Amino acid sequence: MPGTTSRPKAESRAAFSQRGSTEKCAFCAIVTGEASAREVYRDDDFVAFLDAHPVFLGHVLMVPTRHVQTYDELPEDLAGPWLRTSQALVRAVESAMDADGSLLIVNNVVSQSVPHLHLHVIPRSKGDGLRFWLGPRHAYATPEEADAVAARIRAALAAPATASAG
């Protein structure tokens, strides 16, 4: 079935850290003060700072102060604060940069150049020239294939609940 194979480790790209990476990361160094960054926000749970290589001026990264590698590993106790803080950050970036809107990106393992959860908040304005392309697209060959994929995802969603119920 399409999408069931994974790339062998030997073919990994530079911007790819295996899940469970214990590499010391650049964002932990910023959190602890070992590395500098142009911070725009800090509290006990999160630090936000200007991206060193911005897509547009005002491009900010928000990271948890705890080392969390991927979005699905974000502890539940940080979920509400993550939402509130990221929403405030989006409003602040758009306002400060006089932007029409913003692009929010979280990479999970693939294209995650630093193995620490981080939200990109990129200010956008109509006609800014950014062509964000999500492609190539891969259509389902048949309605039955789409049904089978949906069933696999439903089963994966149900599996953790079933395992913890016993």
Side-chain angles (χ1 to χ4, degrees), residues 27-52:
F27 295 160
C28 283
I30 290 170
V31 167
T32 62
E34 295 172 47
S36 64
R38 290 183 172 80
E39 291 185 16
V40 300
Y41 179 84
R42 177 182 282 267
D43 68 13
D44 291 341
D45 296 322
F46 305 105
V47 177
F49 48 91
L50 295 181
D51 190 298

PDB file of all heavy atoms in Angstrom, residues 27-52:
ATOM      1  N   PHE A  27      18.224  24.520  20.473  1.00  0.00           N
ATOM      2  CA  PHE A  27      17.150  25.224  21.171  1.00  0.00           C
ATOM      3  C   PHE A  27      17.257  25.041  22.682  1.00  0.00           C
ATOM      4  O   PHE A  27      16.929  25.962  23.435  1.00  0.00           O
ATOM      5  CB  PHE A  27      15.789  24.811  20.643  1.00  0.00           C
ATOM      6  CG  PHE A  27      15.562  25.202  19.203  1.00  0.00           C
ATOM      7  CD1 PHE A  27      14.594  24.583  18.456  1.00  0.00           C
ATOM      8  CD2 PHE A  27      16.325  26.191  18.584  1.00  0.00           C
ATOM      9  CE1 PHE A  27      14.365  24.934  17.132  1.00  0.00           C
ATOM     10  CE2 PHE A  27      16.121  26.552  17.259  1.00  0.00           C
ATOM     11  CZ  PHE A  27      15.136  25.923  16.528  1.00  0.00           C
ATOM     12  N   CYS A  28      17.719  23.884  23.145  1.00  0.00           N
ATOM     13  CA  CYS A  28      17.951  23.710  24.584  1.00  0.00           C
ATOM     14  C   CYS A  28      19.036  24.681  25.046  1.00  0.00           C
ATOM     15  O   CYS A  28      18.954  25.237  26.143  1.00  0.00           O
ATOM     16  CB  CYS A  28      18.355  22.277  24.906  1.00  0.00           C
ATOM     17  SG  CYS A  28      16.963  21.111  24.901  1.00  0.00           S
ATOM     18  N   ALA A  29      20.037  24.909  24.203  1.00  0.00           N
ATOM     19  CA  ALA A  29      21.103  25.856  24.548  1.00  0.00           C
ATOM     20  C   ALA A  29      20.553  27.278  24.660  1.00  0.00           C
ATOM     21  O   ALA A  29      20.974  28.049  25.522  1.00  0.00           O
ATOM     22  CB  ALA A  29      22.228  25.783  23.514  1.00  0.00           C
ATOM     23  N   ILE A  30      19.588  27.633  23.823  1.00  0.00           N
ATOM     24  CA  ILE A  30      18.954  28.951  23.925  1.00  0.00           C
ATOM     25  C   ILE A  30      18.131  29.028  25.210  1.00  0.00           C
ATOM     26  O   ILE A  30      18.202  30.013  25.952  1.00  0.00           O
ATOM     27  CB  ILE A  30      18.094  29.239  22.677  1.00  0.00           C
ATOM     28  CG1 ILE A  30      18.994  29.464  21.468  1.00  0.00           C
ATOM     29  CG2 ILE A  30      17.176  30.442  22.916  1.00  0.00           C
ATOM     30  CD1 ILE A  30      18.274  29.532  20.135  1.00  0.00           C
ATOM     31  N   VAL A  31      17.379  27.975  25.495  1.00  0.00           N
ATOM     32  CA  VAL A  31      16.542  27.941  26.704  1.00  0.00           C
ATOM     33  C   VAL A  31      17.400  28.138  27.954  1.00  0.00           C
ATOM     34  O   VAL A  31      17.040  28.908  28.843  1.00  0.00           O
ATOM     35  CB  VAL A  31      15.742  26.628  26.787  1.00  0.00           C
ATOM     36  CG1 VAL A  31      15.128  26.434  28.164  1.00  0.00           C
ATOM     37  CG2 VAL A  31      14.666  26.588  25.708  1.00  0.00           C
ATOM     38  N   THR A  32      18.547  27.471  28.024  1.00  0.00           N
ATOM     39  CA  THR A  32      19.394  27.542  29.220  1.00  0.00           C
ATOM     40  C   THR A  32      20.300  28.761  29.245  1.00  0.00           C
ATOM     41  O   THR A  32      20.960  29.024  30.250  1.00  0.00           O
ATOM     42  CB  THR A  32      20.279  26.287  29.351  1.00  0.00           C
ATOM     43  OG1 THR A  32      21.157  26.219  28.222  1.00  0.00           O
ATOM     44  CG2 THR A  32      19.438  25.023  29.468  1.00  0.00           C
ATOM     45  N   GLY A  33      20.365  29.499  28.148  1.00  0.00           N
ATOM     46  CA  GLY A  33      21.224  30.672  28.093  1.00  0.00           C
ATOM     47  C   GLY A  33      22.637  30.387  27.630  1.00  0.00           C
ATOM     48  O   GLY A  33      23.475  31.283  27.593  1.00  0.00           O
ATOM     49  N   GLU A  34      22.912  29.138  27.255  1.00  0.00           N
ATOM     50  CA  GLU A  34      24.239  28.785  26.745  1.00  0.00           C
ATOM     51  C   GLU A  34      24.470  29.371  25.357  1.00  0.00           C
ATOM     52  O   GLU A  34      25.611  29.541  24.936  1.00  0.00           O
ATOM     53  CB  GLU A  34      24.407  27.269  26.686  1.00  0.00           C
ATOM     54  CG  GLU A  34      24.374  26.589  28.035  1.00  0.00           C
ATOM     55  CD  GLU A  34      24.350  25.072  27.893  1.00  0.00           C
ATOM     56  OE1 GLU A  34      25.155  24.526  27.103  1.00  0.00           O
ATOM     57  OE2 GLU A  34      23.507  24.439  28.560  1.00  0.00           O
ATOM     58  N   ALA A  35      23.399  29.633  24.634  1.00  0.00           N
ATOM     59  CA  ALA A  35      23.481  30.251  23.306  1.00  0.00           C
ATOM     60  C   ALA A  35      22.552  31.458  23.312  1.00  0.00           C
ATOM     61  O   ALA A  35      21.541  31.475  24.020  1.00  0.00           O
ATOM     62  CB  ALA A  35      23.052  29.259  22.228  1.00  0.00           C
ATOM     63  N   SER A  36      22.916  32.432  22.528  1.00  0.00           N
ATOM     64  CA  SER A  36      22.100  33.645  22.505  1.00  0.00           C
ATOM     65  C   SER A  36      21.083  33.593  21.374  1.00  0.00           C
ATOM     66  O   SER A  36      21.260  32.883  20.386  1.00  0.00           O
ATOM     67  CB  SER A  36      22.983  34.883  22.348  1.00  0.00           C
ATOM     68  OG  SER A  36      23.646  34.845  21.104  1.00  0.00           O
ATOM     69  N   ALA A  37      20.014  34.346  21.577  1.00  0.00           N
ATOM     70  CA  ALA A  37      18.979  34.489  20.560  1.00  0.00           C
ATOM     71  C   ALA A  37      18.296  35.826  20.822  1.00  0.00           C
ATOM     72  O   ALA A  37      18.349  36.351  21.929  1.00  0.00           O
ATOM     73  CB  ALA A  37      17.975  33.345  20.641  1.00  0.00           C
ATOM     74  N   ARG A  38      17.668  36.349  19.814  1.00  0.00           N
ATOM     75  CA  ARG A  38      16.913  37.596  19.964  1.00  0.00           C
ATOM     76  C   ARG A  38      15.508  37.245  20.434  1.00  0.00           C
ATOM     77  O   ARG A  38      14.600  37.077  19.640  1.00  0.00           O
ATOM     78  CB  ARG A  38      16.922  38.364  18.659  1.00  0.00           C
ATOM     79  CG  ARG A  38      18.301  38.921  18.361  1.00  0.00           C
ATOM     80  CD  ARG A  38      18.328  39.764  17.101  1.00  0.00           C
ATOM     81  NE  ARG A  38      19.605  40.424  16.979  1.00  0.00           N
ATOM     82  CZ  ARG A  38      20.722  39.848  16.526  1.00  0.00           C
ATOM     83  NH1 ARG A  38      20.696  38.587  16.137  1.00  0.00           N
ATOM     84  NH2 ARG A  38      21.849  40.527  16.449  1.00  0.00           N
ATOM     85  N   GLU A  39      15.386  37.114  21.751  1.00  0.00           N
ATOM     86  CA  GLU A  39      14.134  36.671  22.352  1.00  0.00           C
ATOM     87  C   GLU A  39      13.059  37.742  22.255  1.00  0.00           C
ATOM     88  O   GLU A  39      13.328  38.927  22.431  1.00  0.00           O
ATOM     89  CB  GLU A  39      14.341  36.301  23.823  1.00  0.00           C
ATOM     90  CG  GLU A  39      15.173  35.055  24.003  1.00  0.00           C
ATOM     91  CD  GLU A  39      15.281  34.605  25.452  1.00  0.00           C
ATOM     92  OE1 GLU A  39      14.491  35.064  26.306  1.00  0.00           O
ATOM     93  OE2 GLU A  39      16.170  33.779  25.724  1.00  0.00           O
ATOM     94  N   VAL A  40      11.850  37.282  22.002  1.00  0.00           N
ATOM     95  CA  VAL A  40      10.687  38.165  22.009  1.00  0.00           C
ATOM     96  C   VAL A  40       9.736  37.797  23.148  1.00  0.00           C
ATOM     97  O   VAL A  40       8.864  38.588  23.505  1.00  0.00           O
ATOM     98  CB  VAL A  40       9.940  38.159  20.655  1.00  0.00           C
ATOM     99  CG1 VAL A  40      10.862  38.629  19.531  1.00  0.00           C
ATOM    100  CG2 VAL A  40       9.360  36.791  20.331  1.00  0.00           C
ATOM    101  N   TYR A  41       9.921  36.596  23.725  1.00  0.00           N
ATOM    102  CA  TYR A  41       9.037  36.144  24.799  1.00  0.00           C
ATOM    103  C   TYR A  41       9.736  35.043  25.583  1.00  0.00           C
ATOM    104  O   TYR A  41      10.436  34.212  25.012  1.00  0.00           O
ATOM    105  CB  TYR A  41       7.729  35.598  24.226  1.00  0.00           C
ATOM    106  CG  TYR A  41       6.780  35.085  25.284  1.00  0.00           C
ATOM    107  CD1 TYR A  41       5.940  35.961  25.956  1.00  0.00           C
ATOM    108  CD2 TYR A  41       6.747  33.741  25.615  1.00  0.00           C
ATOM    109  CE1 TYR A  41       5.078  35.503  26.948  1.00  0.00           C
ATOM    110  CE2 TYR A  41       5.891  33.273  26.600  1.00  0.00           C
ATOM    111  CZ  TYR A  41       5.061  34.160  27.266  1.00  0.00           C
ATOM    112  OH  TYR A  41       4.218  33.714  28.243  1.00  0.00           O
ATOM    113  N   ARG A  42       9.515  35.043  26.908  1.00  0.00           N
ATOM    114  CA  ARG A  42      10.023  33.960  27.749  1.00  0.00           C
ATOM    115  C   ARG A  42       9.140  33.861  28.985  1.00  0.00           C
ATOM    116  O   ARG A  42       8.800  34.867  29.596  1.00  0.00           O
ATOM    117  CB  ARG A  42      11.468  34.199  28.162  1.00  0.00           C
ATOM    118  CG  ARG A  42      12.026  33.109  29.104  1.00  0.00           C
ATOM    119  CD  ARG A  42      13.453  33.398  29.547  1.00  0.00           C
ATOM    120  NE  ARG A  42      14.410  33.072  28.521  1.00  0.00           N
ATOM    121  CZ  ARG A  42      15.048  31.904  28.417  1.00  0.00           C
ATOM    122  NH1 ARG A  42      14.816  30.940  29.277  1.00  0.00           N
ATOM    123  NH2 ARG A  42      15.924  31.700  27.445  1.00  0.00           N
ATOM    124  N   ASP A  43       8.766  32.628  29.330  1.00  0.00           N
ATOM    125  CA  ASP A  43       8.151  32.339  30.624  1.00  0.00           C
ATOM    126  C   ASP A  43       8.689  30.985  31.060  1.00  0.00           C
ATOM    127  O   ASP A  43       9.655  30.476  30.472  1.00  0.00           O
ATOM    128  CB  ASP A  43       6.616  32.427  30.574  1.00  0.00           C
ATOM    129  CG  ASP A  43       5.936  31.346  29.743  1.00  0.00           C
ATOM    130  OD1 ASP A  43       6.585  30.334  29.359  1.00  0.00           O
ATOM    131  OD2 ASP A  43       4.734  31.499  29.466  1.00  0.00           O
ATOM    132  N   ASP A  44       8.105  30.387  32.089  1.00  0.00           N
ATOM    133  CA  ASP A  44       8.614  29.108  32.581  1.00  0.00           C
ATOM    134  C   ASP A  44       8.453  27.972  31.582  1.00  0.00           C
ATOM    135  O   ASP A  44       9.210  27.004  31.619  1.00  0.00           O
ATOM    136  CB  ASP A  44       7.905  28.715  33.882  1.00  0.00           C
ATOM    137  CG  ASP A  44       8.287  29.619  35.041  1.00  0.00           C
ATOM    138  OD1 ASP A  44       9.332  30.298  34.964  1.00  0.00           O
ATOM    139  OD2 ASP A  44       7.522  29.643  36.032  1.00  0.00           O
ATOM    140  N   ASP A  45       7.474  28.096  30.679  1.00  0.00           N
ATOM    141  CA  ASP A  45       7.155  27.001  29.761  1.00  0.00           C
ATOM    142  C   ASP A  45       7.687  27.163  28.341  1.00  0.00           C
ATOM    143  O   ASP A  45       7.928  26.169  27.653  1.00  0.00           O
ATOM    144  CB  ASP A  45       5.637  26.810  29.686  1.00  0.00           C
ATOM    145  CG  ASP A  45       5.038  26.385  31.012  1.00  0.00           C
ATOM    146  OD1 ASP A  45       5.680  25.585  31.738  1.00  0.00           O
ATOM    147  OD2 ASP A  45       3.933  26.847  31.339  1.00  0.00           O
ATOM    148  N   PHE A  46       7.833  28.422  27.875  1.00  0.00           N
ATOM    149  CA  PHE A  46       8.171  28.655  26.466  1.00  0.00           C
ATOM    150  C   PHE A  46       9.150  29.804  26.294  1.00  0.00           C
ATOM    151  O   PHE A  46       9.176  30.738  27.096  1.00  0.00           O
ATOM    152  CB  PHE A  46       6.905  28.977  25.649  1.00  0.00           C
ATOM    153  CG  PHE A  46       5.857  27.933  25.779  1.00  0.00           C
ATOM    154  CD1 PHE A  46       4.735  28.140  26.558  1.00  0.00           C
ATOM    155  CD2 PHE A  46       5.993  26.706  25.151  1.00  0.00           C
ATOM    156  CE1 PHE A  46       3.766  27.159  26.723  1.00  0.00           C
ATOM    157  CE2 PHE A  46       5.036  25.717  25.300  1.00  0.00           C
ATOM    158  CZ  PHE A  46       3.928  25.946  26.088  1.00  0.00           C
ATOM    159  N   VAL A  47       9.911  29.715  25.212  1.00  0.00           N
ATOM    160  CA  VAL A  47      10.765  30.810  24.772  1.00  0.00           C
ATOM    161  C   VAL A  47      10.458  31.026  23.295  1.00  0.00           C
ATOM    162  O   VAL A  47      10.313  30.063  22.537  1.00  0.00           O
ATOM    163  CB  VAL A  47      12.268  30.489  24.955  1.00  0.00           C
ATOM    164  CG1 VAL A  47      13.135  31.609  24.417  1.00  0.00           C
ATOM    165  CG2 VAL A  47      12.587  30.209  26.419  1.00  0.00           C
ATOM    166  N   ALA A  48      10.327  32.283  22.903  1.00  0.00           N
ATOM    167  CA  ALA A  48      10.123  32.621  21.489  1.00  0.00           C
ATOM    168  C   ALA A  48      11.221  33.599  21.097  1.00  0.00           C
ATOM    169  O   ALA A  48      11.575  34.498  21.870  1.00  0.00           O
ATOM    170  CB  ALA A  48       8.743  33.227  21.271  1.00  0.00           C
ATOM    171  N   PHE A  49      11.747  33.403  19.890  1.00  0.00           N
ATOM    172  CA  PHE A  49      12.877  34.214  19.444  1.00  0.00           C
ATOM    173  C   PHE A  49      12.860  34.324  17.925  1.00  0.00           C
ATOM    174  O   PHE A  49      12.235  33.506  17.236  1.00  0.00           O
ATOM    175  CB  PHE A  49      14.207  33.613  19.925  1.00  0.00           C
ATOM    176  CG  PHE A  49      14.345  32.132  19.674  1.00  0.00           C
ATOM    177  CD1 PHE A  49      14.909  31.653  18.503  1.00  0.00           C
ATOM    178  CD2 PHE A  49      13.878  31.215  20.614  1.00  0.00           C
ATOM    179  CE1 PHE A  49      15.024  30.291  18.266  1.00  0.00           C
ATOM    180  CE2 PHE A  49      13.988  29.842  20.395  1.00  0.00           C
ATOM    181  CZ  PHE A  49      14.567  29.380  19.222  1.00  0.00           C
ATOM    182  N   LEU A  50      13.557  35.346  17.427  1.00  0.00           N
ATOM    183  CA  LEU A  50      13.641  35.526  15.984  1.00  0.00           C
ATOM    184  C   LEU A  50      14.401  34.375  15.351  1.00  0.00           C
ATOM    185  O   LEU A  50      15.433  33.937  15.882  1.00  0.00           O
ATOM    186  CB  LEU A  50      14.346  36.834  15.637  1.00  0.00           C
ATOM    187  CG  LEU A  50      13.652  38.127  16.046  1.00  0.00           C
ATOM    188  CD1 LEU A  50      14.501  39.331  15.603  1.00  0.00           C
ATOM    189  CD2 LEU A  50      12.252  38.225  15.464  1.00  0.00           C
ATOM    190  N   ASP A  51      13.904  33.876  14.229  1.00  0.00           N
ATOM    191  CA  ASP A  51      14.596  32.845  13.467  1.00  0.00           C
ATOM    192  C   ASP A  51      15.887  33.454  12.923  1.00  0.00           C
ATOM    193  O   ASP A  51      15.880  34.570  12.410  1.00  0.00           O
ATOM    194  CB  ASP A  51      13.704  32.354  12.320  1.00  0.00           C
ATOM    195  CG  ASP A  51      14.253  31.127  11.635  1.00  0.00           C
ATOM    196  OD1 ASP A  51      15.366  31.197  11.067  1.00  0.00           O
ATOM    197  OD2 ASP A  51      13.568  30.095  11.635  1.00  0.00           O
ATOM    198  N   ALA A  52      16.991  32.724  13.042  1.00  0.00           N
ATOM    199  CA  ALA A  52      18.286  33.221  12.568  1.00  0.00           C
ATOM    200  C   ALA A  52      18.343  33.324  11.044  1.00  0.00           C
ATOM    201  O   ALA A  52      19.160  34.064  10.504  1.00  0.00           O
ATOM    202  CB  ALA A  52      19.414  32.312  13.073  1.00  0.00           C
TER     203      ALA A  52
END
